[in-house]
Every structure is written in C-alpha cells, then in structure tokens.
Short mmCIF file of all heavy atoms in Angstrom, two decimals:
data_model
loop_
_atom_site.label_atom_id
_atom_site.label_comp_id
_atom_site.label_asym_id
_atom_site.label_seq_id
_atom_site.Cartn_x
_atom_site.Cartn_y
_atom_site.Cartn_z
N MET A 88 106.47 84.98 99.61
CA MET A 88 106.34 86.43 99.52
C MET A 88 107.42 87.07 100.39
O MET A 88 107.58 86.70 101.54
CB MET A 88 104.98 86.82 100.10
CG MET A 88 103.90 86.81 99.10
SD MET A 88 103.52 88.50 98.81
CE MET A 88 103.01 88.74 97.32
N ALA A 89 108.14 88.06 99.95
CA ALA A 89 109.26 88.62 100.68
C ALA A 89 108.81 89.36 101.94
O ALA A 89 109.39 89.20 102.98
CB ALA A 89 110.02 89.59 99.76
N CYS A 90 107.73 90.12 101.84
CA CYS A 90 107.39 91.02 102.93
C CYS A 90 106.26 90.51 103.81
O CYS A 90 106.15 90.90 104.96
CB CYS A 90 107.01 92.37 102.36
SG CYS A 90 108.36 93.09 101.45
N HIS A 91 105.39 89.72 103.26
CA HIS A 91 104.24 89.22 104.01
C HIS A 91 104.23 87.70 103.99
O HIS A 91 104.69 87.10 103.03
CB HIS A 91 102.95 89.68 103.34
CG HIS A 91 102.70 91.14 103.43
ND1 HIS A 91 102.06 91.72 104.49
CD2 HIS A 91 103.04 92.15 102.60
CE1 HIS A 91 101.98 93.02 104.29
NE2 HIS A 91 102.56 93.31 103.16
N MET A 92 103.70 87.12 105.04
CA MET A 92 103.48 85.67 105.06
C MET A 92 101.98 85.45 105.25
O MET A 92 101.26 86.39 105.58
CB MET A 92 104.29 85.02 106.18
CG MET A 92 105.80 85.19 105.96
SD MET A 92 106.77 84.55 107.31
CE MET A 92 106.67 82.79 106.96
N ILE A 93 101.56 84.21 105.06
CA ILE A 93 100.12 83.94 105.19
C ILE A 93 99.69 84.06 106.64
O ILE A 93 98.70 84.72 106.96
CB ILE A 93 99.77 82.53 104.65
CG1 ILE A 93 100.16 82.43 103.17
CG2 ILE A 93 98.29 82.21 104.87
CD1 ILE A 93 99.37 83.35 102.25
N ASP A 94 100.44 83.44 107.54
CA ASP A 94 99.93 83.37 108.92
C ASP A 94 100.92 83.88 109.98
O ASP A 94 100.68 83.71 111.16
CB ASP A 94 99.51 81.93 109.24
CG ASP A 94 100.64 80.97 108.93
OD1 ASP A 94 101.76 81.47 108.62
OD2 ASP A 94 100.41 79.75 108.97
N LYS A 95 102.00 84.48 109.55
CA LYS A 95 102.95 85.05 110.53
C LYS A 95 103.31 86.47 110.12
O LYS A 95 103.41 86.76 108.92
CB LYS A 95 104.25 84.24 110.56
CG LYS A 95 104.13 82.91 111.27
CD LYS A 95 105.53 82.37 111.61
CE LYS A 95 105.44 80.87 111.87
NZ LYS A 95 105.35 80.12 110.57
N ARG A 96 103.54 87.33 111.12
CA ARG A 96 103.95 88.69 110.81
C ARG A 96 105.38 88.65 110.27
O ARG A 96 106.21 87.91 110.80
CB ARG A 96 103.87 89.55 112.08
CG ARG A 96 104.36 90.98 111.84
CD ARG A 96 103.97 91.89 112.99
NE ARG A 96 102.76 92.62 112.70
CZ ARG A 96 102.73 93.74 112.01
NH1 ARG A 96 103.85 94.23 111.51
NH2 ARG A 96 101.59 94.35 111.80
N LYS A 97 105.67 89.39 109.20
CA LYS A 97 107.05 89.52 108.71
C LYS A 97 107.30 91.01 108.68
O LYS A 97 107.21 91.66 109.71
CB LYS A 97 107.20 88.84 107.35
CG LYS A 97 108.66 88.54 107.05
CD LYS A 97 108.81 87.60 105.87
CE LYS A 97 110.29 87.43 105.57
NZ LYS A 97 110.52 86.77 104.28
N TYR A 98 107.55 91.63 107.57
CA TYR A 98 107.68 93.08 107.52
C TYR A 98 106.30 93.71 107.56
O TYR A 98 106.11 94.82 108.03
CB TYR A 98 108.43 93.52 106.25
CG TYR A 98 109.81 92.94 106.19
CD1 TYR A 98 110.11 91.96 105.25
CD2 TYR A 98 110.77 93.30 107.12
CE1 TYR A 98 111.37 91.38 105.21
CE2 TYR A 98 112.04 92.72 107.09
CZ TYR A 98 112.31 91.75 106.14
OH TYR A 98 113.54 91.17 106.11
N GLY A 99 105.34 92.97 107.06
CA GLY A 99 103.95 93.46 107.06
C GLY A 99 103.05 92.47 107.76
O GLY A 99 103.50 91.38 108.14
N PRO A 100 101.81 92.83 107.97
CA PRO A 100 100.88 91.94 108.66
C PRO A 100 100.65 90.65 107.88
O PRO A 100 100.74 90.65 106.65
CB PRO A 100 99.60 92.76 108.75
CG PRO A 100 99.69 93.75 107.64
CD PRO A 100 101.16 94.06 107.50
N PRO A 101 100.35 89.51 108.59
CA PRO A 101 100.04 88.27 107.87
C PRO A 101 98.75 88.44 107.06
O PRO A 101 97.83 89.14 107.51
CB PRO A 101 99.86 87.23 108.97
CG PRO A 101 99.76 87.97 110.25
CD PRO A 101 100.27 89.36 110.03
N PHE A 102 98.72 87.85 105.88
CA PHE A 102 97.53 88.01 105.05
C PHE A 102 96.28 87.41 105.70
O PHE A 102 95.18 87.87 105.47
CB PHE A 102 97.77 87.42 103.66
CG PHE A 102 98.62 88.30 102.78
CD1 PHE A 102 99.56 87.76 101.92
CD2 PHE A 102 98.47 89.68 102.81
CE1 PHE A 102 100.34 88.58 101.09
CE2 PHE A 102 99.26 90.52 102.01
CZ PHE A 102 100.19 89.96 101.14
N SER A 103 96.47 86.42 106.59
CA SER A 103 95.30 85.86 107.28
C SER A 103 94.64 86.93 108.16
O SER A 103 93.41 87.02 108.24
CB SER A 103 95.73 84.65 108.14
OG SER A 103 96.72 85.06 109.07
N GLU A 104 95.46 87.80 108.79
CA GLU A 104 94.90 88.88 109.62
C GLU A 104 94.31 89.98 108.75
O GLU A 104 93.31 90.60 109.11
CB GLU A 104 95.98 89.45 110.55
CG GLU A 104 96.31 88.52 111.70
CD GLU A 104 97.36 89.11 112.64
OE1 GLU A 104 97.45 90.35 112.73
OE2 GLU A 104 98.09 88.31 113.27
N VAL A 105 94.92 90.23 107.60
CA VAL A 105 94.36 91.23 106.67
C VAL A 105 92.97 90.76 106.24
O VAL A 105 92.00 91.52 106.26
CB VAL A 105 95.28 91.46 105.45
CG1 VAL A 105 94.63 92.38 104.43
CG2 VAL A 105 96.64 92.01 105.88
N ALA A 106 92.88 89.48 105.88
CA ALA A 106 91.59 88.91 105.46
C ALA A 106 90.56 89.04 106.58
O ALA A 106 89.42 89.46 106.35
CB ALA A 106 91.77 87.45 105.06
N ALA A 107 90.97 88.71 107.80
CA ALA A 107 90.03 88.77 108.93
C ALA A 107 89.56 90.20 109.17
O ALA A 107 88.37 90.44 109.39
CB ALA A 107 90.72 88.21 110.19
N ARG A 108 90.49 91.14 109.06
CA ARG A 108 90.15 92.55 109.34
C ARG A 108 89.12 93.07 108.33
O ARG A 108 88.25 93.87 108.68
CB ARG A 108 91.40 93.41 109.27
CG ARG A 108 91.09 94.91 109.29
CD ARG A 108 92.33 95.73 109.32
NE ARG A 108 92.83 95.77 110.68
CZ ARG A 108 93.38 96.81 111.24
NH1 ARG A 108 93.53 97.89 110.55
NH2 ARG A 108 93.80 96.82 112.46
N TYR A 109 89.19 92.64 107.10
CA TYR A 109 88.34 93.23 106.07
C TYR A 109 87.16 92.35 105.67
O TYR A 109 86.42 92.68 104.76
CB TYR A 109 89.18 93.60 104.85
CG TYR A 109 90.14 94.71 105.16
CD1 TYR A 109 91.48 94.44 105.43
CD2 TYR A 109 89.71 96.04 105.23
CE1 TYR A 109 92.36 95.46 105.77
CE2 TYR A 109 90.59 97.05 105.56
CZ TYR A 109 91.91 96.76 105.83
OH TYR A 109 92.78 97.78 106.16
N THR A 110 86.99 91.23 106.37
CA THR A 110 85.84 90.37 106.07
C THR A 110 84.56 91.18 106.22
O THR A 110 84.37 91.87 107.23
CB THR A 110 85.82 89.15 107.01
OG1 THR A 110 87.03 88.40 106.75
CG2 THR A 110 84.62 88.28 106.76
N GLY A 111 83.71 91.15 105.17
CA GLY A 111 82.43 91.87 105.24
C GLY A 111 82.54 93.33 104.85
O GLY A 111 81.53 94.02 104.74
N ASP A 112 83.76 93.84 104.65
CA ASP A 112 83.94 95.25 104.27
C ASP A 112 83.85 95.35 102.75
O ASP A 112 84.76 94.94 102.03
CB ASP A 112 85.31 95.74 104.77
CG ASP A 112 85.60 97.18 104.37
OD1 ASP A 112 84.89 97.71 103.47
OD2 ASP A 112 86.54 97.77 104.92
N LEU A 113 82.74 95.89 102.27
CA LEU A 113 82.49 95.93 100.82
C LEU A 113 83.45 96.86 100.08
O LEU A 113 83.58 96.80 98.87
CB LEU A 113 81.03 96.32 100.55
CG LEU A 113 80.00 95.36 101.14
CD1 LEU A 113 78.59 95.87 100.88
CD2 LEU A 113 80.20 93.95 100.57
N THR A 114 84.14 97.73 100.84
CA THR A 114 85.08 98.65 100.18
C THR A 114 86.51 98.12 100.23
O THR A 114 87.44 98.77 99.77
CB THR A 114 85.06 100.02 100.91
OG1 THR A 114 85.55 99.81 102.25
CG2 THR A 114 83.66 100.60 100.97
N ALA A 115 86.67 96.89 100.79
CA ALA A 115 88.03 96.39 101.02
C ALA A 115 88.83 96.24 99.73
O ALA A 115 90.01 96.60 99.70
CB ALA A 115 87.96 95.04 101.74
N ILE A 116 88.22 95.73 98.67
CA ILE A 116 88.99 95.47 97.44
C ILE A 116 89.61 96.77 96.93
O ILE A 116 90.82 96.83 96.65
CB ILE A 116 88.11 94.81 96.36
CG1 ILE A 116 87.77 93.39 96.83
CG2 ILE A 116 88.84 94.78 95.00
CD1 ILE A 116 86.80 92.67 95.94
N ASP A 117 88.81 97.82 96.86
CA ASP A 117 89.36 99.11 96.37
C ASP A 117 90.43 99.64 97.32
O ASP A 117 91.48 100.09 96.88
CB ASP A 117 88.23 100.14 96.21
CG ASP A 117 87.27 99.73 95.10
OD1 ASP A 117 87.70 98.94 94.23
OD2 ASP A 117 86.11 100.18 95.12
N LYS A 118 90.15 99.56 98.62
CA LYS A 118 91.12 100.08 99.61
C LYS A 118 92.44 99.31 99.51
O LYS A 118 93.52 99.91 99.48
CB LYS A 118 90.57 99.89 101.03
CG LYS A 118 89.76 101.07 101.53
CD LYS A 118 89.47 100.98 103.02
CE LYS A 118 88.43 99.96 103.34
NZ LYS A 118 87.77 100.14 104.64
N LEU A 119 92.36 97.98 99.48
CA LEU A 119 93.59 97.19 99.49
C LEU A 119 94.34 97.28 98.16
O LEU A 119 95.57 97.33 98.14
CB LEU A 119 93.28 95.75 99.87
CG LEU A 119 92.74 95.57 101.28
CD1 LEU A 119 92.38 94.11 101.55
CD2 LEU A 119 93.72 96.09 102.31
N ALA A 120 93.58 97.36 97.07
CA ALA A 120 94.24 97.53 95.77
C ALA A 120 95.02 98.84 95.75
O ALA A 120 96.17 98.88 95.30
CB ALA A 120 93.19 97.51 94.65
N ALA A 121 94.42 99.88 96.30
CA ALA A 121 95.10 101.19 96.35
C ALA A 121 96.34 101.11 97.25
O ALA A 121 97.40 101.63 96.90
CB ALA A 121 94.13 102.25 96.87
N LYS A 122 96.21 100.39 98.38
CA LYS A 122 97.35 100.27 99.30
C LYS A 122 98.50 99.51 98.64
O LYS A 122 99.65 99.88 98.77
CB LYS A 122 96.88 99.55 100.57
CG LYS A 122 97.94 99.33 101.63
CD LYS A 122 98.37 100.64 102.21
CE LYS A 122 98.50 100.80 103.67
NZ LYS A 122 97.56 100.47 104.61
N ILE A 123 98.15 98.45 97.90
CA ILE A 123 99.19 97.65 97.24
C ILE A 123 99.89 98.50 96.18
O ILE A 123 101.11 98.50 96.07
CB ILE A 123 98.60 96.37 96.64
CG1 ILE A 123 98.10 95.45 97.76
CG2 ILE A 123 99.62 95.65 95.76
CD1 ILE A 123 97.20 94.32 97.29
N LYS A 124 99.11 99.27 95.40
CA LYS A 124 99.70 100.07 94.32
C LYS A 124 100.50 101.25 94.88
O LYS A 124 101.62 101.51 94.46
CB LYS A 124 98.61 100.63 93.40
CG LYS A 124 98.20 99.70 92.31
CD LYS A 124 97.33 100.45 91.28
CE LYS A 124 96.13 99.59 90.91
NZ LYS A 124 94.95 100.40 90.56
N GLU A 125 99.90 101.96 95.85
CA GLU A 125 100.50 103.22 96.31
C GLU A 125 101.35 103.05 97.57
O GLU A 125 102.10 103.96 97.95
CB GLU A 125 99.39 104.26 96.59
CG GLU A 125 98.51 104.55 95.40
CD GLU A 125 99.31 104.94 94.14
OE1 GLU A 125 100.38 105.58 94.30
OE2 GLU A 125 98.89 104.56 93.03
N GLY A 126 101.20 101.91 98.27
CA GLY A 126 101.90 101.75 99.54
C GLY A 126 101.18 102.55 100.61
O GLY A 126 100.14 103.15 100.37
N GLY A 127 101.74 102.54 101.79
CA GLY A 127 101.12 103.35 102.85
C GLY A 127 101.35 102.75 104.22
O GLY A 127 101.91 101.66 104.36
N THR A 128 100.87 103.49 105.22
CA THR A 128 101.09 103.07 106.59
C THR A 128 99.93 103.53 107.45
O THR A 128 99.00 104.16 106.94
CB THR A 128 102.44 103.66 107.10
OG1 THR A 128 102.71 103.10 108.36
CG2 THR A 128 102.39 105.17 107.16
N GLY A 129 99.95 103.16 108.77
CA GLY A 129 98.97 103.76 109.66
C GLY A 129 97.83 102.87 110.08
O GLY A 129 97.11 103.21 111.00
N ILE A 130 97.68 101.71 109.47
CA ILE A 130 96.54 100.83 109.80
C ILE A 130 96.95 99.78 110.83
O ILE A 130 96.19 99.46 111.73
CB ILE A 130 96.01 100.12 108.53
CG1 ILE A 130 95.66 101.13 107.46
CG2 ILE A 130 94.85 99.21 108.86
CD1 ILE A 130 94.39 101.90 107.69
N TRP A 131 98.16 99.29 110.73
CA TRP A 131 98.58 98.14 111.53
C TRP A 131 99.52 98.53 112.65
O TRP A 131 100.12 97.67 113.29
CB TRP A 131 99.19 97.06 110.63
CG TRP A 131 98.17 96.49 109.70
CD1 TRP A 131 97.78 97.03 108.51
CD2 TRP A 131 97.34 95.35 109.92
NE1 TRP A 131 96.78 96.28 107.96
CE2 TRP A 131 96.50 95.23 108.80
CE3 TRP A 131 97.26 94.42 110.96
CZ2 TRP A 131 95.56 94.20 108.69
CZ3 TRP A 131 96.33 93.39 110.84
CH2 TRP A 131 95.49 93.29 109.73
N GLY A 132 99.73 99.83 112.82
CA GLY A 132 100.45 100.30 114.00
C GLY A 132 101.96 100.10 113.99
O GLY A 132 102.62 100.37 114.96
N GLY A 133 102.52 99.58 112.90
CA GLY A 133 103.97 99.41 112.86
C GLY A 133 104.65 100.71 112.45
O GLY A 133 104.00 101.70 112.14
N LYS A 134 106.00 100.69 112.49
CA LYS A 134 106.74 101.90 112.08
C LYS A 134 107.04 101.86 110.59
O LYS A 134 107.35 102.87 109.98
CB LYS A 134 108.06 101.99 112.87
CG LYS A 134 107.83 102.28 114.36
CD LYS A 134 109.14 102.77 115.00
CE LYS A 134 108.93 102.99 116.48
NZ LYS A 134 108.72 101.72 117.20
N THR A 135 106.93 100.67 109.98
CA THR A 135 107.28 100.57 108.56
C THR A 135 106.04 100.73 107.69
O THR A 135 104.91 100.63 108.17
CB THR A 135 107.91 99.19 108.26
OG1 THR A 135 107.07 98.19 108.83
CG2 THR A 135 109.30 99.09 108.84
N SER A 136 106.27 100.97 106.42
CA SER A 136 105.17 101.16 105.46
C SER A 136 105.10 99.99 104.51
O SER A 136 106.10 99.32 104.27
CB SER A 136 105.42 102.41 104.60
OG SER A 136 105.64 103.50 105.39
N CYS A 137 103.91 99.81 103.94
CA CYS A 137 103.81 98.92 102.79
C CYS A 137 104.37 99.70 101.63
O CYS A 137 103.94 100.82 101.36
CB CYS A 137 102.36 98.51 102.53
SG CYS A 137 102.22 97.16 101.37
N LEU A 138 105.37 99.14 100.97
CA LEU A 138 106.01 99.88 99.88
C LEU A 138 105.13 99.87 98.65
O LEU A 138 104.30 98.97 98.49
CB LEU A 138 107.37 99.25 99.57
CG LEU A 138 108.37 99.29 100.73
CD1 LEU A 138 109.71 98.74 100.30
CD2 LEU A 138 108.52 100.69 101.27
N ARG A 139 105.32 100.84 97.80
CA ARG A 139 104.58 100.88 96.53
C ARG A 139 104.93 99.63 95.73
O ARG A 139 106.09 99.25 95.66
CB ARG A 139 105.06 102.07 95.69
CG ARG A 139 104.35 103.33 95.94
CD ARG A 139 104.97 104.41 95.09
NE ARG A 139 104.24 104.60 93.85
CZ ARG A 139 104.49 105.62 93.03
NH1 ARG A 139 105.48 106.45 93.31
NH2 ARG A 139 103.78 105.80 91.96
N ASN A 140 103.96 99.05 95.15
CA ASN A 140 104.21 97.87 94.30
C ASN A 140 103.69 98.17 92.91
O ASN A 140 102.48 98.28 92.72
CB ASN A 140 103.49 96.65 94.89
CG ASN A 140 104.03 96.33 96.27
OD1 ASN A 140 105.12 95.80 96.39
ND2 ASN A 140 103.30 96.70 97.31
N ARG A 141 104.60 98.39 92.01
CA ARG A 141 104.18 98.67 90.63
C ARG A 141 104.72 97.55 89.75
O ARG A 141 105.92 97.42 89.58
CB ARG A 141 104.76 100.02 90.16
CG ARG A 141 104.13 101.23 90.83
CD ARG A 141 102.72 101.42 90.32
NE ARG A 141 102.01 102.45 91.08
CZ ARG A 141 101.81 103.68 90.63
NH1 ARG A 141 102.33 104.02 89.48
NH2 ARG A 141 101.16 104.55 91.33
N TRP A 142 103.85 96.69 89.24
CA TRP A 142 104.35 95.63 88.36
C TRP A 142 104.01 96.01 86.91
O TRP A 142 102.99 96.62 86.67
CB TRP A 142 103.71 94.28 88.69
CG TRP A 142 103.98 93.86 90.10
CD1 TRP A 142 105.18 93.50 90.64
CD2 TRP A 142 103.00 93.83 91.18
NE1 TRP A 142 105.02 93.22 91.98
CE2 TRP A 142 103.71 93.40 92.33
CE3 TRP A 142 101.66 94.10 91.28
CZ2 TRP A 142 103.08 93.24 93.56
CZ3 TRP A 142 101.02 93.93 92.51
CH2 TRP A 142 101.74 93.49 93.63
C1 HEM B 1 108.64 95.58 99.97
C2 HEM B 1 107.64 94.82 100.24
C3 HEM B 1 106.57 95.11 101.28
C4 HEM B 1 106.68 95.59 102.56
C5 HEM B 1 107.92 95.98 103.33
C6 HEM B 1 105.32 95.63 103.10
C7 HEM B 1 105.02 96.06 104.39
C8 HEM B 1 103.72 96.30 104.83
C9 HEM B 1 103.38 96.98 106.06
C10 HEM B 1 104.38 97.52 107.08
C11 HEM B 1 102.03 97.05 106.14
C12 HEM B 1 101.18 97.72 107.25
C13 HEM B 1 100.86 99.12 106.78
C14 HEM B 1 99.86 99.84 107.71
O1 HEM B 1 100.02 99.78 108.94
O2 HEM B 1 98.94 100.48 107.19
C15 HEM B 1 101.52 96.40 104.96
C16 HEM B 1 100.19 96.24 104.69
C17 HEM B 1 99.73 95.55 103.60
N1 HEM B 1 100.47 95.05 102.55
FE1 HEM B 1 102.43 95.15 102.34
N2 HEM B 1 104.44 95.19 102.16
C18 HEM B 1 105.16 94.87 101.04
C19 HEM B 1 104.69 94.34 99.86
C20 HEM B 1 103.37 93.99 99.65
C21 HEM B 1 102.87 93.30 98.48
C22 HEM B 1 103.73 92.84 97.30
C23 HEM B 1 101.52 93.14 98.67
C24 HEM B 1 100.47 92.49 97.80
C25 HEM B 1 100.65 91.70 96.82
C26 HEM B 1 101.18 93.74 99.95
C27 HEM B 1 99.93 93.80 100.49
C28 HEM B 1 99.60 94.43 101.67
C29 HEM B 1 98.23 94.54 102.19
C30 HEM B 1 96.98 93.99 101.51
C31 HEM B 1 98.32 95.23 103.41
C32 HEM B 1 97.16 95.64 104.37
C33 HEM B 1 96.78 97.04 104.02
C34 HEM B 1 95.75 97.69 104.97
O3 HEM B 1 95.22 97.05 105.85
O4 HEM B 1 95.49 98.91 104.77
N3 HEM B 1 102.34 94.26 100.52
N4 HEM B 1 102.58 95.96 104.18
#
C-alpha cells in the first residue's frame, strides 16, 4: 500500500492501530468507509490528510 502499512506509520496511521482504535465501535465501518471515499484529517493528529480515494 503506498500510503499506509500494516504495522508501521507511513503517510497515514498503520492499519493495525486503526483496527485497534475502532475495535468494538459499531459505527466504524460507516465512518471509515466515508473517510476512505472522501478523505479527511483530524483524528490521528498529523498535518497530512487521508486523500480521497475514488476507484
Ligand atoms: C494517497 C494516499 C493516502 C494518504 C496520503 C493517506 C493518509 C492518511 C492520513 C494522514 C490519515 C490520518 C487522517 C486523520 O488524522 O484523520 C489517514 C487515515 C486513514 N486512511 Fe489513509 N491515506 C491514503 C490512502 C488510503 C487508502 C487507499 C485507504 C484505504 C484503502 C486509506 C485508509 C485510511 C483509514 C481507514 C484511515 C483512518 C481514518 C480514521 O481513523 O478516521 N487511506 N490516511
């Protein structure tokens, strides 16, 4: 993956930490799907954003 890795921070948070953060959060799928589609920032404290991903 260009921007994210499983267990190390790259441009975005590692997916292992994303999984840990949302474990048990029943709204996570909708929230993360929206973030992946629309991009966004503000959750992980970095200066960069998750870019919009439209496939
Ligand atoms: C150009 C490529 C990408 C860059 C530079 C990028 C960067 C980032 C950054 C900086 C964040 C933290 C945003 C925050 O603090 O709220 C983030 C979060 C995230 N990104 Fe990306 N990302 C990219 C592509 C992708 C792709 C292709 C996926 C999924 C297939 C993805 C899934 C996620 C998820 C699930 C989060 C966590 C969202 C949250 O906790 O609200 N990203 N990304």
Side-chain angles (χ1 to χ4, degrees):
M88 272 252 149
C90 300
H91 292 272
M92 296 175 77
I93 300 295
D94 53 8
K95 285 197 200 78
R96 177 166 262 277
K97 200 167 176 192
Y98 300 110
F102 283 142
S103 58
E104 286 182 27
V105 175
R108 170 176 279 218
Y109 293 100
T110 297
D112 178 345
L113 299 177
T114 64
I116 291 174
D117 293 338
K118 270 192 286 201
L119 296 177
K122 180 66 134 310
I123 294 166
K124 274 192 224 149
E125 303 307 327
T128 187
I130 305 285
W131 294 83
K134 292 197 183 68
T135 49
S136 306
C137 192
L138 297 185
R139 272 177 96 171
N140 297 285
R141 289 289 171 103
W142 301 292

